[in-house]
Amino acid sequence: MLTMPPTAPGSAPTTDYLAANYASLARRWPRVAAAVEAAIGNLPEFAWLEKPCPTLVIEGIQLTSAHDRDKEATLQATRIPAGSRSARVYGMALGDVPRLLLQRPELRDLQVVLFNPGVAALSLYFFDHRDWLDDPRVSLVVAGPDDTLQQPYAALPACLHLADDAASRLRDLICLDLATPFIRKRHQPDNPHLRQRLTDNAAYVAQDPSIEALCGTFPGRTAVVAGAGPTLSDHYGWLRDSKPGPLIAVDAAVRPLLAAGIIPDVVVGIDGHADIFDLFFKDLDLTLLRRSALVYFPVVQPELLKYWPGQRHAAYSDAPIYSELAVRHPKERLFSSGSVIHPATDLATRLGVERVLFAGADFSFPGGQSHVAGCSQARPAQGSHWVLNGHGERLPTLPNLRAYLRDLEEFIAGKTGIQFRNAGSRGAAIRHAPLLEDPPWTEI
């Protein structure tokens, strides 16, 4: 018989629903039942919260509202359009959202995805879920690392926050999807700050070539995309002594690279919301970059274009703000979803190379640092969110960095014929870019 470990807080009810709920799981979804049973031996910290609507607090996260669970579930269920015949609920919590959706007679298929079997075990112990678990329209699965986001869906925030390692990528895809409407607002054509940048840079865009001159110039080589993450310094030695091919550096990485005696072949700058010349290039000996090409989006700080000593190449993203300018001055478009590492990677794939190698693309805070030493933005950093590094360990990060990582993974997944590798294991693991063994130049 299944039993919970004797850690239930004293104020919790003595009723045990686990055996009855587990019987439904074992009958219909044996693999889910096995995952829940395995989790019982290593449950997360929890406490019972006695309120008008009793609930659980797991690892400091309140699983549901303690005052009006029905109202909360109704709000969450509005993401599923009326008339939908199928839907997914990401997270189980206390079963309120599945229970509410099953009241819709038109719904024929409801998949509920568990993000943490230990959280599910606690819910199954303290609350009776048999009414919706036994509904023939329901299917129950445990989230895995290869899962993709399916529409339409409702997502339960507490369950996302409590996701285990295997569910972390799906969690990030959901968070990114939920945030996308807000993100897009920053780059709408009516943004006055960005429109002023376009005006200030109009003459440069008119005269500077697109990136076609760079395309296909390194056939069969390995391009290195250098991010400004803390682990970039791990790679200075081989970048300086055994550079395998073109080095494409994001703007924030230029200063520390030059300090290490490494001159990039291409520098990429795209940020219209920051003064990147003042942040990353002011007071540098720019003559060191006279043979380095600059690839930029037209919203960058004008001083960057004014003082750049070498070739400049203009490019656009798919953001609507470039629509009018692209008609007057056609340029190539580069993939961009918020991080400069995105267009740098897209550019790398267009150089004719066979391999793209990431160095310092960390999307996290290895060693508690935000950027590589020597970068003007380097500082101690921490986050309550996390990603997995190359050793399967959790690293602190921020939601936007997780989003950049997942968008990069989706991009490189669609690039057939090019190998992607990650030079280091201390930063975030990059899906579809397996680790390169040390020393990296021996494999490339």
Side-chain angles (χ1 to χ4, degrees), residues 24 27-29 129-138:
S24 294
R27 183 178 69 255
R28 300 191 64 190
W29 310 288
H129 293 267
R130 287 171 293 176
D131 58 327
W132 67 270
L133 286 176
D134 292 336
D135 192 301
R137 295 172 292 172
V138 172

Side-chain angles (χ1 to χ4, degrees), residues 169 407-416 420 431-432:
R169 180 175 174 273
D407 279 333
L408 175 66
E409 292 174 336
E410 183 176 359
F411 172 78
I412 64 179
K415 290 295 178 181
T416 58
F420 293 85
R431 187 178 174 85
H432 309 299

Side-chain angles (χ1 to χ4, degrees), residues 354-368:
E354 293 183 357
R355 294 163 295 274
V356 174
L357 180 61
F358 295 106
D362 295 330
F363 302 101
S364 56
F365 306 134

